Amino acid sequence: MSTADRLTDALYGLGWGAVKKLPEPAAARLGDTIADLAWKRRGKGVQRLESNYARVVPDASPERLAELSRAGMRSYLRYWMESFRLPAWSPERIKGGFAPKGAHHLIDGLAAGKGVILALPHLANWDLAGAWVTTELNTPFTTVAERLKPETLYDRFVAYREGLGMEVLPHSGASAFGTLARRLRDGGLVCLVADRDLSASGVEVDFFGERARMPAGPALLAQQTGALLLPVTLWYDDSPVMQGNVHPAIEVPEAGTRAEKTAAMTQALADAFAGGIAEHPEDWHMLQRLWLADLDPAGAEGRA
């Protein structure tokens, strides 16, 4: 392991070990302080976040975009502070920390025994939403995680999420897909963060008026298993309670090839994500390139 990898792992270990011992108000203040420092430095992540917000709020002035990126960094650090502290939260704190609307779509779907896929963008705290599902609904679920470097950091994330009641699979293509399909055919629950394609073989969608690529997995799983596909959007307000919305199911089209059905369902998912992001852009933690124009150097030059 390189020196940089050891340092990264040590810093995350310090976060999980120290932050969860802080009183909640102190952790919140620490998160805001770190967020403001990072925002003032205007590193690549902050610049990318601001660039992404410019797509979401195209009529925003430079001053408005700066306000959004500062609020976005504070929201992002709130996610981290909460995540570091989640293993120490009581079941009552977890149950009271999330107030989703439309939860009946999930509850009824599980009761039907057909399997349910929850698909979320990088909004607010998806780990807290998952902990609420395992605690309030007493329902375990399966998810996938991108392999992080160093490997010890990936192991920390897996142990953390498994401690919250999640089954975590590595993001490794067909192997993970087959396991997810089996869980759904058994009537289980699968949760996937699905607004950024990690495979370079995703589905092109229209997203805030430009082309982007999102993973085909949620739509393919719904087609192959008969499971419900439910979009979920999350956001923070001024309270300690995260808000959310479980949207109605995205139906499998009756006509068309598998590729056509997958494209239509993924576009419907992107539209649901876009609605939630447009309402709460500061809670969308997308500090990476997403749109094809940014991923393709020629496209990026054209935009410039």
Side-chain angles (χ1 to χ4, degrees), residues 15-33:
W16 264 297
V19 173
K20 68 181 179 183
K21 298 177 182 178
L22 292 174
E24 199 155 330
R29 288 193 300 271
L30 176 62
D32 284 349
T33 299

Side-chain angles (χ1 to χ4, degrees), residues 281-297:
E282 69 279 3
D283 291 323
W284 189 41
H285 308 150
M286 185 56 66
L287 281 73
Q288 298 84 20
R289 300 173 189 265
L290 179 72
W291 280 273
L292 298 186
D294 293 336
L295 295 170
D296 175 12

Side-chain angles (χ1 to χ4, degrees), residues 132-201:
W132 182 89
V133 167
T134 61
T135 305
E136 174 67 19
L137 302 185
N138 195 29
T139 301
F141 65 86
T142 305
T143 188
V144 298
E146 180 182 4
R147 281 202 173 275
L148 303 172
K149 293 183 179 181
E151 191 75 15
T152 50
L153 179 56
Y154 172 78
D155 292 340
R156 284 184 187 273
F157 270 96
V158 169
Y160 154 66
R161 289 181 170 136
E162 288 180 342
L164 297 174
M166 311 175 192
E167 178 188 24
V168 182
L169 307 175
H171 189 276
S172 54
S175 174
F177 187 92
T179 302
L180 295 173
R182 286 194 297 274
R183 299 292 183 268
L184 292 168
R185 291 192 182 101
D186 290 339
L189 176 63
V190 164
C191 298
L192 301 170
V193 179
D195 58 343
R196 178 170 171 255
D197 181 54
L198 296 174
S199 66
S201 60

Side-chain angles (χ1 to χ4, degrees), residues 53 71-72 75 122-124 234-237 280-285:
Y53 287 160
S75 176
H122 286 79
L123 274 169
L234 310 171
W235 67 93
Y236 291 127
D237 57 17
H280 305 280
E282 69 279 3
D283 291 323
W284 189 41
H285 308 150

Side-chain angles (χ1 to χ4, degrees), residues 6 68 90 96 114 136 159 178 191 194 217 232 237 269 302 304:
R6 282 196 296 270
L68 270 177
S90 68
K114 296 174 59 177
E136 174 67 19
C191 298
V232 179
D237 57 17
L269 201 58

Side-chain angles (χ1 to χ4, degrees), residues 17-65:
V19 173
K20 68 181 179 183
K21 298 177 182 178
L22 292 174
E24 199 155 330
R29 288 193 300 271
L30 176 62
D32 284 349
T33 299
I34 295 172
D36 288 348
L37 288 171
W39 177 76
K40 289 176 182 176
R41 289 183 61 187
R42 292 195 58 79
K44 290 183 178 179
V46 173
Q47 293 180 49
R48 177 56 53 189
L49 182 67
E50 205 163 288
S51 172
N52 290 338
Y53 287 160
R55 258 76 168 234
V56 176
V57 190
D59 58 347
S61 66
E63 292 77 16
R64 173 61 178 146
L65 286 175

